[in-house]
Amino acid sequence: MARVISVAGTKGGVGKSTTAYILAGRLAEMGHQVGLLDADPNHAVGDWHAVGEIKGITVASNITEQNIGDEVAKLEDAGADFIIIDLPGMRGMVQVFAFGLSDLIVIPTQTSRSDVEQALGLVHMIERNRKTIQNAKVRLLFTRISPSYTTGVDTHAYAQIAEHGAPVMTTKLYERKHFKEMTYTGLLPSASGGRATRSDREAVANIGEIVTEILSVLEDNTVSS
């Protein structure tokens, strides 16, 4: 049975598609068969994969509330170990259906007040609908964070999340040029070869830390938000 991870948000520009793609890419690099459902109307992850063609990823596009269950089943039947769903940056029925199929819901957010409040609102919506979203764990993921220092805005955001008791990942997705380059190459950052820089190695390590924490959350049998 494939593990299903939905990457969700209620607005664009928070790093949702970037998060979905690096999860799919790193899991594939680890030797897993990965299904990547491109449910976002912008088709970012599908476009990136069409360029990079990372081995081990199978993309399904044009995902709707009518076909999402069938598409997940097809990928499971084809041998997928993990299925990553890049959801639209808005609420809708496809989001609700995806949540019902998911083992884990990752909600990327930047640290502005509006982003944090939107992310918290999505967490609360999931909790209000636990009759239909029974098995999914939830984790917020802070994105586009400086790897060098913590800003005052960051501090406010972390405090607001803690005040609400929302489940948040320890690892953060840092602001790095590599993730913008990925949108052109369709490839994850690489630290192999003699020309790799410290920045390359740090970007690769950041992705590795995120995936390691995601796998740890999935291995925990407790369903909690």
Side-chain angles (χ1 to χ4, degrees):
M1 182 72 70
R3 309 307 298 271
V4 179
I5 304 171
S6 285
V7 186
T10 58
K11 64 190 296 292
V14 295
K16 176 183 60 63
S17 295
T18 298
T19 299
Y21 199 69
I22 65 172
L23 288 178
R26 175 49 62 90
L27 289 167
E29 289 177 348
M30 293 167 65
H32 297 291
Q33 294 299 309
V34 181
L36 182 56
L37 266 64
D38 187 4
D40 191 322
N42 294 318
H43 301 300
V45 295
D47 290 346
W48 299 342
H49 182 65
V51 177
E53 296 185 342
I54 297 174
K55 185 178 179 181
I57 295 179
T58 300
V59 174
S61 300
N62 301 314
I63 304 301
T64 67
E65 62 266 28
Q66 285 82 20
N67 68 13
I68 188 169
D70 290 340
E71 293 297 332
V72 167
K74 287 177 186 177
L75 289 167
E76 285 186 326
D77 290 344
D81 302 305
F82 293 90
I83 296 172
I84 312 298
I85 308 176
D86 183 32
L87 287 164
M90 65 190 78
R91 295 190 186 185
M93 289 308 298
V94 67
Q95 194 179 70
V96 174
F97 280 98
F99 290 170
L101 296 165
S102 296
D103 298 292
L104 174 63
I105 302 165
V106 178
I107 305 173
T109 181
Q110 295 187 50
T111 55
S112 74
R113 181 174 178 176
S114 62
D115 289 338
V116 170
E117 289 178 347
Q118 293 261 6
L120 287 171
L122 188 52
V123 173
H124 295 156
M125 183 276 282
I126 293 166
E127 290 310 305
R128 288 194 302 269
N129 290 276
R130 276 297 182 186
K131 288 185 178 179
T132 54
I133 308 171
Q134 296 182 359
N135 300 318
K137 301 172 187 178
V138 180
R139 290 296 184 275
L140 298 180
L141 170 65
F142 281 112
T143 62
R144 303 194 69 177
I145 300 297
S146 169
S148 305
Y149 55 86
T150 300
T151 69
V153 174
D154 296 342
T155 301
H156 285 302
Y158 303 157
Q160 187 170 1
I161 293 295
E163 179 182 344
H164 285 80
V168 61
M169 290 180 60
T170 302
T171 312
K172 302 168 180 63
L173 181 62
Y174 293 122
E175 177 70 70
R176 294 193 180 279
K177 66 181 179 66
H178 303 77
F179 303 131
K180 292 185 176 69
E181 290 174 354
M182 184 181 72
T183 66
Y184 289 96
T185 66
L187 299 173
L188 268 59
S190 173
S192 61
R195 299 182 64 182
T197 65
R198 176 181 175 181
S199 180
D200 295 334
R201 292 189 290 273
E202 289 174 345
V204 171
N206 188 199
I207 294 173
E209 290 163 357
I210 289 171
V211 171
T212 296
E213 185 169 351
I214 291 288
L215 293 175
S216 177
V217 171
L218 287 171
E219 288 169 4
D220 184 351
N221 291 325
T222 303
V223 176
S224 65
S225 65

